[in-house]
Amino acid sequence: MNFLVDDELLQTCKHVATISRLKYHGPDRSFVPPATSKTATVTFIEVNDKSYAVTARHVIESFRNSALQEGYEDEGYLCVQSPGVDINGPFLTPPPTGLITATPDMAICPIDKKLPSRINKEAFQVLAQNDANWPISLAVAIGFPTDEKHDLQNSHGNLNLALSCVHAVAEGMDSDGLSDQVQFFSELSEMPTVGSLSGMSGGPVFWSDGARHGLLGFVKEGLDISVSECGDKPKVQFICQRVDYAIMERWTNYIDRNWQSERDKINAMFCEL
C-alpha cells in the first residue's frame, strides 16, 4: 500500500482521546480506569465555529448499561489523558440522514471550545472543501485500542495510564460514498505490534492525497488483527460510519436544537433525589 500522507495528518492524534466512564476507582487510581477496563475513543471536532465531542453510539450505550447495572442513572464520561477532563453529557444520536434509513452509530455532545486544550488536544475543523472524492482507495483510522494501555505510576505513587494512539491504514472496498458505512480491509506482510483495533470506535477516519486531508467518517468497529491456523496473512480491518460536511452540519444542528432540553431532564432527575 502506498498511502500519501501530508504532514498534518501525522499529527491527528491531537484530535482524539481515550474515553471511559466517570467512575471513582479508589485512592490510588482516583477516576483513572484500570488498564483492563473497556475504553473507547472520542474525537474533538469543530463545525461552523462550534465544538463537539464525537464517539460511537454503541460506546455510550455500553457505558450507560454498565452504570445502570451498578445502580448509577447518570455518571458522565472521562477523557483519560492526563490531567483528565470530564464530559457531563448527554451524548445524543442524530436521526437518519437523507436516503439512509438506519440510525447512525454516532453520539455527539457539544463542548466548551477550551475543553480539548485541557488535555493538550484540539478540535478538527470540518470543512466542505475537505470532503472526499469517492471512491477512496486508502484511508487511515485514528484511535486508542483498549488492549494498548497499561498502568503507569507517577512520582507521587498514584496510577495513571500509558496510552498508545494508533494509525491503522487500509484499502477501501468498492464504495461510491453513498452508503452510510464503508469497510476498509488490507492484508499485511507481517504481524504488527498492535493485535486488535477494538477500542478505536469513535475515532476519526481520514483520507489524504499527500498535500491535504479530510474527514471520511468515524470508526464504527475495529477488528482483531490475527493470523489463522490456515496460514492466512494478518489483516487490518475497520468499518467507518461515513460523513461529510453536509451530514455533520445537519447532525450538529440537531444536537444544538435538542441538547439543552435533554440536559434539563438529567438535572431535573437529580433535583428529585
Side-chain angles (χ1 to χ4, degrees):
M1 294 184 294
N2 184 21
F3 185 52
L4 299 174
V5 178
D6 61 285
D7 292 341
E8 282 293 317
L9 186 61
L10 297 175
Q11 308 299 320
T12 45
C13 283
K14 65 186 178 184
H15 304 305
V16 297
T18 300
I19 189 170
S20 70
R21 294 170 56 195
L22 183 62
K23 176 183 176 181
Y24 184 67
H25 297 281
D28 290 338
R29 309 195 69 93
S30 187
F31 289 93
V32 177
T36 56
S37 66
K38 293 291 185 182
T39 54
T41 301
V42 64
T43 305
F44 301 118
I45 65 168
E46 180 181 309
V47 181
N48 296 336
D49 205 35
K50 296 180 180 179
S51 296
Y52 304 87
V54 181
T55 190
R57 172 171 53 92
H58 73 263
V59 167
I60 296 302
E61 290 176 347
S62 176
F63 288 163
R64 178 167 172 76
N65 289 337
S66 295
L68 289 172
Q69 290 173 11
E70 296 176 18
Y72 299 104
E73 183 69 25
D74 183 84
E75 61 182 357
Y77 311 93
L78 175 70
C79 295
V80 178
Q81 276 73 9
S82 182
V85 65
D86 62 285
I87 300 176
N88 289 327
F91 280 83
L92 304 184
T93 294
T97 300
L99 299 176
I100 298 170
T101 59
T103 300
D105 191 8
M106 299 302 307
I108 306 172
C109 179
I111 56 173
D112 186 278
K113 281 191 173 185
K114 297 179 180 179
L115 185 147
S117 65
R118 295 172 193 161
I119 52 173
N120 298 311
K121 302 290 182 177
E122 62 183 67
F124 177 80
Q125 192 173 14
V126 181
L127 301 171
Q129 58 263 39
N130 290 335
D131 281 351
N133 293 317
W134 293 85
I136 296 296
S137 58
L138 290 167
V140 57
I142 315 293
F144 292 89
T146 292
D147 293 342
E148 296 303 309
K149 60 184 186 296
H150 62 268
D151 282 336
L152 185 67
Q153 194 170 47
N154 63 24
S155 58
H156 301 288
N158 296 322
L159 291 173
N160 210 320
L161 287 177
L163 303 161
S164 297
C165 184
V166 169
H167 294 64
V169 180
E171 300 170 80
M173 298 183 67
D174 298 328
S175 174
D176 56 9
L178 298 178
S179 60
D180 62 333
Q181 66 179 36
V182 188
Q183 186 169 333
F184 292 88
F185 169 89
S186 288
E187 288 188 335
L188 304 175
S189 59
E190 59 184 28
M191 189 68 184
T193 57
V194 176
S196 174
L197 301 183
S198 177
M200 291 181 66
S201 293
V205 179
F206 293 108
W207 66 270
S208 175
D209 61 7
R212 60 194 184 98
H213 65 278
L215 184 67
L216 278 177
F218 299 90
V219 178
K220 182 175 181 179
E221 184 178 8
L223 303 179
D224 288 348
I225 302 171
S226 60
V227 181
S228 73
E229 295 179 357
C230 299
D232 291 343
K233 294 181 179 179
K235 304 172 180 65
V236 58
Q237 185 174 5
F238 54 86
I239 300 172
C240 168
Q241 178 79 54
R242 187 186 70 83
V243 303
D244 55 23
Y245 170 78
I247 291 173
M248 290 308 306
E249 185 177 48
R250 285 195 291 270
W251 283 357
T252 53
N253 284 341
Y254 171 86
I255 301 303
D256 293 341
R257 291 194 305 270
N258 292 277
W259 187 86
Q260 188 58 56
S261 62
E262 294 301 315
R263 180 70 237 180
D264 290 343
K265 292 177 184 178
I266 295 174
N267 293 338
M269 176 185 67
F270 282 111
C271 289
E272 293 173 358
L273 295 178

